């Protein structure tokens, strides 16, 4: 059975104020053509269909057109909600849409209720496991603690129990939206840490033939059976080195996996340039980037006059400008954004406490900060549509 694994469309998202809806529509065109050209048997969309809980109308219209086109192909699609989606909104009409072969899995209650397809070698059970906010689903799903590993583990126990009751030889695929240990993050993913921990081990997916993951925006292979497709478009300059693709996965008669990357359309390449302004304007090595989206970091010891206007004369698509003067003191050598890169909300808050008070937060204060951040994230997830369990 041939599967097309994609995720993290983030419909409605912009790139440094550049509207990406046209590029996202081009991706949908490419997706439909890939399904047709490669004779795909099922499409898997592993969450973050939208960029926010209440997406703009043009994004909803694009999603609607995508569903119609996939349904017209007669190829089943399984789609889960991610941490950016409103699970309730995305799941409206799921039962009716399912009759057209578009299977939306947004409710944790249905995680062990697979879409069952068949080929010449028997059944394939496709389980859709939506993003699980630990504090909201812990008790309902039977997890023993509030953590990503615990709630995913409890959900996977349900899936394995369902699979054990099916005909011998039934192959299995799970769609999930999570941060798995070994994955490489970028700047454009939303923090999902609970108690300072966000990653889960790949072993949580043991017992299934393929885990189609979403959340991380870089295409990557955790192991042969656990993969991220990554986002089809770049959503931050940290993705400048990414090759944006979808996975074309062949599931063999005994669960063997072979996978091929299919490139997605690139609306405009990204480039991160660094150096004195004069060098950026004159160096012929940068000619290849003149039509790229540019993030420029100027290292001039004194800030030049009109740097953005001068940059855009050569690089008209410059979107981000930062300053990092050479020879600056160690503690001030990075921009504010650079100092925050890779740090969690909790770490940033603790740094702020240390900065304004001259001393770090104590254990009790760190616990208060952690509780506050987790309460905000939980409230946002509930408001975004994931059903709160009481």
């Amino acid at each position: 059975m041939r599967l097309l694994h994609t995720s993290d469309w983030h419909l409605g998202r912009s790139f440094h104020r550049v509207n990406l809806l046209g590029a996202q529509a081009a991706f949908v065109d490419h997706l439909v053509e890939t399904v047709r050209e490669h004779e795909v048997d099922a499409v898997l969309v592993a969450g973050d269909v939208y960029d926010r809980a209440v997406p703009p109308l043009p994004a909803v219209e694009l999603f609607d057109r995508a569903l119609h086109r996939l349904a017209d192909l007669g190829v089943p699609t399984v789609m889960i909600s991610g941490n950016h989606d409103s699970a309730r909104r995305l799941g409206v009409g799921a039962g009716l849409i399912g009759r057209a072969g578009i299977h939306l899995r947004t409710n944790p209650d249905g995680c062990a209720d697979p879409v069952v397809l068949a080929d010449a070698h028997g059944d394939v059970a496709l389980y859709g496991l939506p993003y699980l906010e630990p504090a909201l689903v812990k008790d309902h799903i039977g997890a023993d603690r509030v953590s990503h590993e615990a709630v995913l583990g409890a959900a996977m126990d349900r899936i394995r129990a369902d699979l054990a009751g099916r005909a011998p030889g039934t192959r299995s695929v799970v769609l999930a939206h999570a941060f798995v240990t070994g994955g490489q993050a970028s700047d454009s993913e939303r923090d999902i840490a609970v108690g300072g921990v966000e990653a889960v081990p790949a072993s949580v997916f043991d017992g299934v033939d393929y885990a189609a993951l979403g959340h991380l925006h870089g295409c990557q292979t955790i192991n042969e059976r656990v993969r991220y497709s990554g986002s089809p478009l770049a959503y931050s300059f940290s993705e400048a080195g990414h090759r944006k693709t979808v996975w074309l996965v062949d599931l063999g008669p005994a669960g063997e996996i072979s996978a091929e990357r299919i490139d997605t359309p690139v609306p405009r390449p990204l480039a991160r340039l660094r150096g004195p302004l004069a060098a950026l304007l004159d160096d012929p090595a940068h000619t290849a980037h003149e039509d790229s989206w540019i993030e420029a970091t100027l290292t001039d010891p004194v800030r030049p006059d009109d740097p953005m206007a001068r940059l855009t004369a050569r690089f008209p698509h410059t979107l981000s400008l930062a300053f990092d003067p050479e020879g600056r003191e160690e503690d001030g050598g990075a921009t504010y954004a650079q100092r925050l890169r890779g740090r969690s909300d909790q770490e940033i808050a603790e740094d702020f406490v240390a900065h304004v008070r001259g001393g770090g937060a104590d254990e009790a204060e760190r616990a208060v900060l952690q509780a506050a951040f987790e309460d905000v994230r939980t409230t946002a997830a509930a408001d975004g549509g994931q059903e709160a369990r009481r």
Side-chain angles (χ1 to χ4, degrees):
M1 183 169 289
R2 176 161 288 180
L3 311 170
L4 186 66
H5 168 196
T6 178
S7 73
D8 295 276
W9 295 0
H10 288 278
L11 299 181
R13 187 164 185 158
S14 59
F15 184 78
H16 289 265
R17 301 176 302 281
V18 175
N19 188 319
L20 291 180
L21 199 66
Q24 291 172 333
F27 163 69
V28 170
D29 291 342
H30 171 79
L31 178 77
V32 171
E33 183 55 35
T34 300
V35 170
R36 182 185 295 112
E37 178 185 345
H38 292 275
E39 299 181 334
V40 169
D41 297 304
V43 176
L44 314 178
V45 186
D48 282 354
V49 175
Y50 291 121
D51 189 56
R52 54 183 185 266
V54 184
L57 183 58
V60 177
E61 291 172 338
L62 176 57
F63 179 60
D64 181 64
R65 293 197 300 274
L67 295 188
H68 277 84
R69 294 176 69 184
L70 289 169
D72 288 344
L73 291 175
V75 176
T77 298
V78 183
M79 186 175 294
I80 62 171
S81 50
N83 61 303
H84 279 248
D85 297 309
S86 163
R88 286 183 180 176
R89 290 185 177 91
L90 186 62
V92 167
L96 184 61
I97 295 171
R99 298 179 189 178
I102 308 293
H103 305 279
L104 299 173
R105 293 293 188 261
T106 63
N107 189 330
D109 289 341
C111 68
D113 178 20
V115 176
V116 180
L117 306 178
D119 62 12
H121 307 287
D123 288 348
V124 177
L126 307 174
Y127 297 91
L129 184 54
Y131 172 71
L132 303 174
E133 178 57 46
L136 296 181
V137 303
K138 178 250 182 187
D139 293 334
H140 181 77
I141 209 165
D144 58 4
R145 63 190 186 281
V146 178
S147 74
H148 287 290
E149 183 176 357
V151 297
L152 272 172
M156 284 301 302
D157 285 344
R158 293 187 178 190
I159 288 171
R160 282 186 284 263
D162 178 82
L163 189 58
R166 295 188 176 273
T170 298
R171 290 158 291 164
S172 55
V173 174
V174 169
L175 289 76
H177 197 86
F179 193 153
V180 174
T181 302
Q184 298 297 313
S186 59
D187 292 345
S188 53
E189 297 114 5
R190 184 179 295 166
D191 181 23
I192 59 170
V194 174
V197 178
E198 58 184 348
V200 301
S203 59
V204 76
F205 299 108
D206 285 354
V208 298
D209 294 308
Y210 184 70
L213 301 183
H215 180 57
L216 299 184
H217 289 179
C219 179
Q220 46 202 299
T221 300
I222 304 301
N223 61 51
E224 180 190 24
R225 299 186 181 278
V226 180
R227 300 171 188 260
Y228 284 97
S229 67
S231 60
L233 300 172
Y235 293 117
S236 70
F237 277 104
S238 66
E239 299 165 61
H242 287 190
R243 174 188 166 198
K244 293 301 183 180
T245 60
V246 295
W247 281 113
L248 192 65
V249 178
D250 285 320
L251 183 61
E256 310 95 321
I257 295 292
S258 64
E260 174 189 357
R261 294 176 69 178
I262 304 293
D263 291 295
T264 56
V266 176
R268 192 178 297 279
L270 309 184
R272 306 179 94 169
L273 305 183
R274 179 182 177 87
L277 178 59
L280 298 188
L281 295 179
D282 298 335
D283 192 340
H286 298 318
T287 300
H289 304 307
E290 290 178 352
D291 199 40
S292 300
W293 279 322
I294 298 293
E295 177 191 71
T297 300
L298 302 185
T299 60
D300 301 80
V302 176
R303 185 174 300 213
D305 292 333
D306 298 321
M308 181 60 89
R310 294 164 68 185
L311 274 171
T312 54
R314 182 180 188 188
F315 307 104
H317 305 289
T318 301
L319 300 181
S320 176
L321 176 61
F323 297 91
D324 185 11
E326 290 181 346
R328 191 157 57 174
E329 292 296 323
E330 184 77 17
D331 61 350
T335 66
Y336 180 72
Q338 290 167 338
R339 294 197 303 272
L340 298 189
R341 185 167 295 147
R343 300 185 66 74
S344 68
D345 293 339
Q346 175 91 14
E347 290 170 329
I348 293 168
E350 291 181 18
D351 288 348
F352 176 75
V353 171
H355 174 73
V356 300
R357 196 168 63 186
D362 61 28
E363 185 175 345
E365 291 168 332
R366 287 195 294 272
V368 169
L369 287 170
Q370 179 179 313
F373 281 119
E374 292 183 1
D375 182 62
V376 168
R377 189 186 58 257
T378 302
T379 300
D383 290 345
Q386 184 157 324
E387 186 172 357
R389 307 298 184 182
R390 304 183 186 275

